[in-house]
């Protein structure tokens, strides 16, 4: 009998906030899944942006080799989920309602897209989404085998915490407290299934920067809605008004950061960075990955480097379904079973931010690309291997504080060689139409990908 599969991604959930000494959340249900399964401690996202990273998961291809990202994913995109459908799986999903997920939902037999709640945020799992998930799980028990995908959007800047969880026992920061609130519902959801015949997979699209002072440098939701409304109603402001508002925002951020520089370390200052800019620190690309339940060993912690693109090949092998060779991922089942395998590097890239779409030659490609191994992290400008070059020795410098690119030409050449092999299979970026650019701007404002020029 093929296993049922419950696949959950939690937006912006960092690996170090799931397990380890940096975790202060109260997460008995995540802890239970780890106790009853396998935790991969070093899982690397393909990008620091939601659509690009999730497209990487569902296609098992890096953004650079598939050409698929946040803005050109469509119902025609070939995803590995189709193999499950061909083999008799009922596939269902509960995901947020925005363009990327709307396109993804067309690949499912049934889908529920939960709405934005009017505050530039989507309904949280405790605001009806969790109950909808439970109701749907109850209804698919007679449609086995099933594949149920869930994406949770609770962790959003500025990390608003409900009154119920606004207590130190749930975490040291608001981010941690939100993780605690999600965990309650994870328990309720997992209690609806039988782990003996269901494989539960928990991961994330990307990580997140968590300001050490608790102060979010971004604009308020009210301001972002005003920007969207103004630029739509007054076309003249499309170019000049939005740029002006962004420049004022940047000036405000710069002033705040200049004051904080006298109080905080460079590492602490990094916590105010923005995703979709030009940095790829582990805070934004290292994500949790848990396989629990069906056929999984218990209490197994794996330190080897793995990638998001490995998730679906692993699900296929566990389900004893055909695998595809035309992808960048590989099954992790041999690692789970204790076999020694050769490490395969992870490709990483930044997503796109709003300022990139204000250019007349707007494209859908982020500024930086790179390679991460268990020993080194390397990234540089997408279009120039000599610009914005960063190299870190992860063994000696796990916090990535010392850029050693200036004195390690041989290592950079090795990393660049790995990157060039992928670039040799790259798919060119796609130019956006005027309407597509407008949609992309609106989505990026909503999601908070606004350049802080960090």
């Amino acid at each position: 009998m093929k296993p049922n599969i419950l696949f959950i991604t939690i937006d912006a959930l960092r690996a170090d906030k799931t397990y380890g000494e940096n975790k202060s959340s109260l997460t008995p249900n995540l802890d239970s899944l780890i106790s009853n399964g396998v935790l991969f401690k070093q899982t690397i996202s393909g990008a620091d942006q939601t659509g690009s990273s999730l497209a990487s998961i569902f296609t098992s291809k890096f953004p650079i080799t598939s050409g698929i990202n946040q803005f050109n994913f469509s119902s025609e995109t070939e995803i590995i989920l189709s193999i499950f459908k061909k083999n008799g799986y009922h596939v269902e999903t509960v995901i947020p309602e925005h363009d990327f997920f709307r396109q993804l939902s067309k690949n499912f037999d049934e889908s529920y897209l939960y709405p934005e709640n009017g505050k530039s945020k989507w309904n949280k799992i405790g605001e009806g989404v969790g109950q909808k998930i439970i109701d749907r799980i109850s209804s698919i028990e007679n449609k086995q085998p099933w594949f149920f995908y869930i994406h949770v959007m609770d962790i959003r800047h500025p990390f608003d915490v409900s009154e119920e969880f606004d207590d130190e026992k749930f975490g040291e920061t608001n981010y941690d407290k939100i993780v605690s609130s999600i965990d309650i519902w994870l328990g309720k959801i997992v209690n609806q299934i039988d782990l003996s015949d269901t494989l539960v997979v928990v991961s994330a699209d990307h990580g997140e920067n968590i300001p050490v002072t608790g102060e979010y440098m971004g604009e308020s939701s009210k301001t972002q809605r005003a920007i969207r409304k103004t630029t739509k109603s007054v076309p003249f402001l499309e170019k000049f008004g939005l740029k002006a508002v962004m420049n004022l925002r940047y000036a405000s951020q710069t002033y705040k950061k200049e004051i904080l520089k006298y109080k905080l370390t460079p590492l602490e200052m990094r916590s105010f960075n923005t995703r979709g800019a030009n940095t790829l620190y582990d805070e934004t690309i290292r994500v949790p990955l848990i396989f629990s339940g069906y056929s999984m060993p218990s209490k197994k912690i794996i330190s080897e480097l793995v990638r998001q693109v490995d998730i679906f090949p692993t699900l296929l092998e566990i389900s004893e379904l055909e695998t595809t060779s035309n992808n960048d991922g590989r099954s992790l089942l041999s690692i789970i079973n204790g076999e020694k395998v050769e490490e395969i590097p992870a490709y990483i890239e930044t997503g796109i931010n709003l300022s990139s779409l204000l250019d007349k030659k707007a494209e859908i490609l982020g500024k930086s690309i790179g390679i991460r191994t268990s020993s080194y992290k390397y990234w540089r400008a997408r279009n120039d291997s000599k610009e914005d070059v960063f190299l870190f020795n992860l063994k000696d410098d796990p916090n990535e504080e010392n850029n050693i690119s200036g004195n390690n030409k041989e290592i950079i050449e090795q990393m660049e060689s790995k990157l060039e092999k992928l670039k040799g299979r790259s798919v060119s970026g796609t130019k956006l139409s005027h309407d597509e650019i407008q949609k992309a701007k609106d989505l990026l404002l909503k999601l908070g990908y606004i350049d802080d020029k960090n």
Side-chain angles (χ1 to χ4, degrees):
M1 180 178 176
K2 293 181 175 62
N4 300 315
I5 297 172
L6 176 62
F7 181 28
I8 303 171
T9 51
I10 300 172
D11 203 281
L13 180 61
R14 285 168 40 161
D16 65 338
K17 295 299 183 178
T18 308
Y19 178 89
E21 61 183 16
N22 288 335
K23 172 181 171 292
S24 70
S25 304
L26 191 63
T27 58
N29 297 299
L30 270 175
D31 297 344
S32 178
L33 288 172
I34 294 171
S35 293
N36 289 285
V38 179
L39 169 69
F40 289 90
K41 291 176 61 178
Q42 195 174 186
T43 305
I44 305 303
S45 168
D48 67 351
Q49 191 169 54
T50 300
S52 300
S53 60
L54 290 181
S56 185
I57 291 176
F58 277 89
T59 62
S60 191
K61 294 181 181 179
F62 297 127
I64 195 171
T65 58
S66 69
I68 303 299
N69 57 38
Q70 184 100 353
F71 304 109
N72 64 352
F73 187 93
S74 74
S75 57
E76 304 303 314
T77 302
E78 184 178 352
I79 65 174
I80 296 181
L81 185 67
S82 62
I83 297 176
F84 287 91
K85 294 181 69 173
K86 290 176 183 177
N87 284 275
Y89 271 79
H90 172 80
V91 295
E92 194 159 333
T93 187
V94 173
I95 47 182
E97 185 177 14
H98 76 57
D99 286 349
F100 173 83
F101 287 103
R102 195 174 296 113
Q103 294 298 323
L104 179 63
S105 71
K106 296 175 183 177
N107 293 278
F108 289 81
D109 296 322
E110 296 183 46
S111 58
Y112 172 74
L113 278 68
Y114 55 90
E116 184 185 0
N117 63 14
K119 301 176 183 177
S120 296
K121 298 176 184 177
W122 284 266
N123 286 347
K124 294 185 177 182
I125 196 166
E127 298 172 339
V129 176
Q131 188 57 52
K132 176 63 71 171
I133 292 168
I134 289 172
D135 293 342
R136 284 188 168 259
I137 288 178
S138 299
S139 69
I140 63 174
E141 279 302 310
N142 61 347
K143 299 177 182 178
Q144 300 189 38
W146 47 259
F147 188 112
F148 194 172
Y149 172 59
I150 300 163
H151 187 76
V152 178
M153 288 283 279
D154 288 36
I155 305 176
R156 311 295 304 166
H157 279 300
F159 305 139
D160 294 326
V161 180
S162 64
E163 184 176 346
E164 178 185 359
F165 290 91
D166 193 11
D167 189 300
E168 290 183 358
K169 71 179 181 181
F170 293 115
E172 295 175 358
T173 68
N174 281 2
Y175 179 105
D176 298 329
K177 293 170 185 176
I178 294 172
V179 174
S180 295
S181 69
I182 294 171
D183 185 79
I184 294 290
W185 279 94
L186 283 181
K188 294 178 181 180
I189 291 166
V190 173
N191 283 341
Q192 304 300 309
I193 64 175
D194 184 349
L195 288 176
S196 68
D197 64 15
T198 303
L199 178 65
V200 178
V201 181
V202 178
S203 191
D205 48 358
H206 52 71
E208 187 58 278
N209 296 297
I210 307 171
V212 294
T213 63
E215 178 184 11
Y216 176 48
M217 294 291 183
E219 291 290 347
S220 66
S221 298
K222 181 178 180 181
T223 301
Q224 291 185 13
R225 290 198 304 275
I227 293 172
R228 291 203 302 275
K229 181 178 179 181
T230 302
T231 56
K232 286 181 178 179
S233 60
V234 186
F236 166 75
L237 294 177
E238 175 62 33
K239 177 179 179 181
F240 299 103
L242 187 52
K243 278 189 175 181
V245 172
M246 288 178 63
N247 285 334
L248 285 172
R249 177 182 183 272
Y250 172 63
S252 174
Q253 287 182 347
T254 301
Y255 175 72
K256 292 177 182 178
K257 289 181 178 180
E258 284 299 318
I259 294 175
L260 289 172
K261 281 181 181 178
Y262 294 99
K263 304 177 182 179
L264 304 175
T265 67
L267 178 60
E268 291 172 328
M269 286 301 302
R270 202 168 81 197
S271 70
F272 297 101
N273 284 0
T274 300
R275 285 183 292 107
N278 61 354
T279 60
L280 285 163
Y281 296 108
D282 266 9
E283 295 96 283
T284 62
I285 61 165
R286 190 168 178 174
V287 296
L289 179 58
I290 302 167
F291 284 79
S292 187
Y294 176 83
S295 79
M296 290 294 104
S298 297
K299 299 179 181 179
K300 187 157 190 174
I301 310 298
I302 295 176
S303 299
E304 284 90 337
L305 180 140
V306 301
R307 300 87 46 83
Q308 282 185 326
V309 291
D310 299 327
I311 293 175
F312 263 89
T314 306
L315 295 178
L316 289 175
E317 185 172 8
I318 292 173
S319 304
E320 299 182 344
L321 301 180
E322 62 180 293
T323 59
T324 59
S325 58
N326 185 28
N327 57 49
D328 297 309
R330 68 171 174 187
S331 173
L332 302 176
L333 191 56
S334 57
I335 299 178
I336 291 172
N337 291 334
E339 299 176 27
K340 292 292 183 181
V341 299
E342 182 181 358
E343 178 178 288
I344 302 178
Y347 169 82
I348 52 178
E349 70 172 46
T350 57
I352 193 171
N353 56 56
L354 187 60
S355 66
S356 301
L357 293 178
L358 297 178
D359 193 293
K360 290 182 179 179
K361 299 179 180 179
E363 295 186 2
I364 54 174
L365 301 176
K367 297 177 181 178
S368 299
I369 59 176
I371 292 289
R372 190 192 188 283
T373 69
S374 58
S375 299
Y376 292 98
K377 163 88 69 68
Y378 167 71
W379 78 76
R380 47 88 159 174
R382 180 184 292 272
N383 298 318
D384 188 343
S385 63
K386 305 298 182 182
E387 183 182 345
D388 291 333
V389 180
F390 287 80
L391 178 69
F392 298 98
N393 183 326
L394 300 177
K395 300 294 186 182
D396 298 336
D397 179 26
N399 290 328
E400 303 168 88
E401 296 182 81
N402 302 305
N403 181 4
I404 59 173
S405 61
N407 302 312
N408 290 274
K409 182 179 178 181
E410 184 177 343
I411 297 174
I412 287 180
E413 288 177 350
Q414 293 172 2
M415 301 294 274
E416 186 64 28
S417 175
K418 300 177 190 297
L419 189 56
E420 286 298 323
K421 287 180 180 179
L422 288 170
K423 288 189 69 180
R425 299 191 288 116
S426 66
V427 177
S428 299
T430 305
K431 294 290 192 297
L432 299 177
S433 69
H434 176 76
D435 289 343
E436 289 170 332
I437 289 173
Q438 186 58 55
K439 286 182 180 179
K441 288 177 183 177
D442 188 60
L443 178 59
L444 288 172
L445 278 165
K446 187 180 293 185
L447 293 173
Y449 292 96
I450 304 175
D451 190 18
D452 70 351
K453 306 180 184 181
N454 55 335

